[in-house]
Amino acid sequence: MSNSQLSKTLTPLMLWGLGVGYVISGMYFGWNLGLAEGGTLGLAIATFFIIIMYVTFTLSYTELACAIPKAGGAFEYAHRGLGKHFGFIGGMAQNIEFIFAPPAIAAAIGAYLHLLYPEIDVIYFSIGAYFIFTAINIFGVHLAASFELIITILAVFELLLFAGFTLPHFEVQNLQMNALPFGYEGVFAAIPFAIWFFLAIEGIANVAEETKNPQKSIYLGFGSAIATLVFLCVLTFLSAVGVGGWEKIVYPSGSSIASDSPLPLALGQVVSEGHFLYKFLIGIGLLGLIASFHGIILAAGRSTFEFGRVGYAPKQLGKVHSKYKTPTNALIINMCIGIVALFTGKTGEIITIACFGALTLYIISMLSLFALRRNELELERSYKVPLYPFFPAIALIIATVSILSMTYYNFTLAMIFFAILGGSYLYFIFSQKEYKTEEIGEVG
């Protein structure tokens, strides 16, 4: 087998596990920071439109993934539909999303473990998680996906268990308490945290090349995953906020600093922190964070690997391990970048940068879908998005409004994101010129 080819081992059930697993940490932390920006109603309105965006985007993106089942995902679709320059931008946006999301999740893993072992600093747990789950991904995609499926099922069970204990204490007036503290501007400010509920579901497409019968399996995996996630999003939002109001799951008692652990704060309104149930749910709640952390590391490795394989990044990143057939070099370099981001200690800011990457990816992917529908009528499409062109157009419009709103409310972070994207693009232009010069020299 070539040292740049991935092995095919994934089934539809594993794809469901990966799709839900990539995202499920968004139910455990991060989304509550949107309450601090917009209150219950502000985040709820933002989430309503983001759900519409993700449903229409996912159905549209599935068409691309089934037609072009490659590890590069958005990069492959944009490269084929819009040309290599848009291909690079779409692929780099995907890289930024997948590389910056894991350190935010690692910080939350550290925060959850710190609740159980307060004598150990959060950063040690976070770095340890990086080493452990990067290693699991190196040892093989079947092992990684099987592990992901198991912990995803347990993480879904934990959310259902959490809702089972909190919903009996649900009161509608808790949703109405200071529901829109900053007016309707809070709706736009809460957008990145609404996105965090679903961020990275598109990672299913990045393992298409490792999927058995991808033309059938991918749409089964995508469809079942988005349906599960919409249900869990609504359930978690209502069962957490409904027990004591939004401020109780954003700010710990006596603190004005937003927490990375909203579900334990909500549970603390129902049982004492010393209660067995409290510690039990925190313990298995870690599985949701681990599922996303591990899953996005897997998707990020494939995204970076594809960039190296086609020569848009150093070629060594496009090599697979001779024994395990996994993108080892890509996984290791992503881990190093993630650990550096961890040390900033800025979870909310890291989430926002990841969201900028995601929205850029969504916009370019929908434009790619329109271009491929127009220019490649002969492309085999085993699945077609329903209600074309309305669904991809809806996804494109909401994503565009979202990125403009995020830029307005997070201008400095937007400039950081576009600086990373622009700097990478300049490297791409320079490296392509160098490559052409070398080719001419060899011919001469």
Side-chain angles (χ1 to χ4, degrees):
M1 185 180 288
S2 166
N3 68 348
S4 64
Q5 294 298 311
L6 300 162
S7 58
K8 293 181 178 290
T9 59
L10 303 181
T11 63
L13 180 60
M14 287 179 170
L15 292 180
W16 172 86
L18 287 170
V20 175
Y22 291 149
V23 177
I24 201 166
S25 70
M27 314 293 168
Y28 284 85
F29 88 106
W31 65 271
N32 65 311
L33 302 180
L35 294 168
E37 300 291 339
T40 304
L41 185 57
L43 180 59
I45 294 172
T47 302
F48 173 77
F49 285 101
I50 292 303
I51 285 174
I52 293 172
M53 181 187 79
Y54 268 99
V55 170
T56 53
F57 165 77
T58 300
L59 292 172
S60 303
Y61 201 66
T62 300
E63 176 177 319
L64 293 168
C66 288
I68 310 171
K70 289 284 191 176
F75 159 69
E76 296 285 355
Y77 318 144
H79 189 275
R80 185 159 175 171
L82 302 172
K84 68 179 183 179
H85 293 280
F86 277 101
F88 177 86
I89 293 170
M92 193 63 206
Q94 178 176 248
N95 288 336
I96 292 171
E97 175 192 359
F98 288 164
I99 292 172
F100 276 86
I105 302 169
I109 291 173
Y112 267 72
L113 284 171
H114 184 69
L115 291 173
L116 298 175
Y117 305 99
E119 68 278 6
I120 301 177
D121 194 273
V122 169
I123 194 69
Y124 295 121
F125 287 125
S126 302
I127 293 174
Y130 253 111
F131 278 99
I132 291 169
F133 293 106
T134 297
I136 290 174
N137 274 278
I138 288 172
F139 289 144
V141 69
H142 190 272
L143 170 66
S146 299
F147 176 80
E148 182 78 357
L149 177 60
I150 293 168
I151 58 175
T152 296
I153 291 171
L154 291 172
V156 170
F157 170 75
E158 194 278 337
L159 286 177
L160 297 176
L161 194 61
F162 167 80
F165 282 104
T166 54
L167 282 178
H169 302 271
F170 173 89
E171 295 182 6
V172 174
Q173 56 263 39
N174 288 331
L175 301 179
Q176 299 169 342
M177 293 167 54
N178 198 20
L180 200 63
F182 309 111
Y184 284 98
E185 285 191 9
V187 174
F188 297 99
I191 284 174
F193 306 104
I195 291 171
W196 189 247
F197 267 126
F198 301 96
L199 185 89
I201 187 174
E202 67 274 12
I204 292 175
N206 294 88
V207 294
E209 203 170 327
E210 296 161 274
T211 299
K212 297 175 182 177
N213 190 13
Q215 283 73 19
K216 179 180 179 181
S217 299
I218 290 171
Y219 79 81
L220 291 174
F222 261 124
S224 58
I226 191 64
T228 302
L229 291 165
V230 169
F231 170 74
L232 292 175
C233 168
V234 175
L235 181 69
T236 303
F237 186 99
L238 294 176
S239 58
V241 180
V243 296
W246 70 263
E247 290 170 286
K248 294 288 181 65
I249 62 166
V250 175
Y251 303 111
S253 179
S255 175
S256 60
I257 299 174
S259 170
D260 283 337
S261 311
L263 300 195
L265 290 179
L267 197 62
Q269 305 299 310
V270 178
V271 298
S272 68
E273 293 185 8
H275 195 282
F276 163 77
L277 177 64
Y278 180 84
K279 293 190 174 182
F280 175 70
L281 287 178
I282 288 177
I284 62 173
L286 277 167
L287 296 174
L289 302 178
I290 289 170
S292 291
F293 182 66
H294 169 257
I296 298 175
I297 284 175
L298 188 153
R302 275 68 190 165
S303 178
T304 306
F305 158 80
E306 187 66 12
F307 248 41
R309 185 163 65 171
V310 300
Y312 287 4
K315 282 285 188 182
Q316 285 303 311
L317 295 178
K319 305 295 183 183
V320 297
H321 193 281
S322 59
K323 179 179 179 181
Y324 302 117
K325 301 304 175 187
T326 52
T328 303
N329 295 338
L331 287 164
I332 291 173
I333 194 67
N334 288 350
M335 178 184 71
C336 293
I337 296 170
I339 290 175
V340 171
L342 257 179
F343 278 98
T344 66
K346 303 287 188 180
T347 303
E349 288 83 348
I350 293 171
I351 287 174
T352 302
I353 290 174
C355 289
F356 273 116
L359 289 170
T360 303
L361 178 159
Y362 303 159
I363 290 167
I364 289 179
S365 295
M366 294 303 94
L367 293 174
S368 302
L369 176 59
F370 285 122
L372 287 167
R373 277 288 192 107
R374 184 181 65 249
N375 300 327
E376 294 203 32
L377 299 176
E378 76 288 352
L379 180 65
E380 184 179 345
R381 295 172 173 89
S382 59
Y383 166 87
K384 289 186 177 182
V385 57
L387 298 179
Y388 179 88
F390 298 107
F391 273 18
I394 289 168
L396 177 61
I397 291 168
I398 297 177
T400 302
V401 171
S402 296
I403 200 169
L404 291 174
S405 299
M406 280 178 52
T407 300
Y408 179 80
Y409 286 99
N410 304 274
F411 187 75
T412 301
L413 293 175
M415 293 303 100
I416 292 172
F417 167 73
F418 288 116
I420 295 172
L421 197 61
S424 301
Y425 182 68
L426 290 176
Y427 166 80
F428 164 71
I429 296 295
F430 178 77
S431 64
Q432 292 299 294
K433 287 181 178 178
E434 288 286 304
Y435 180 71
K436 287 181 180 178
T437 302
E438 289 176 8
E439 278 190 329
I440 293 170
E442 288 174 5
V443 172

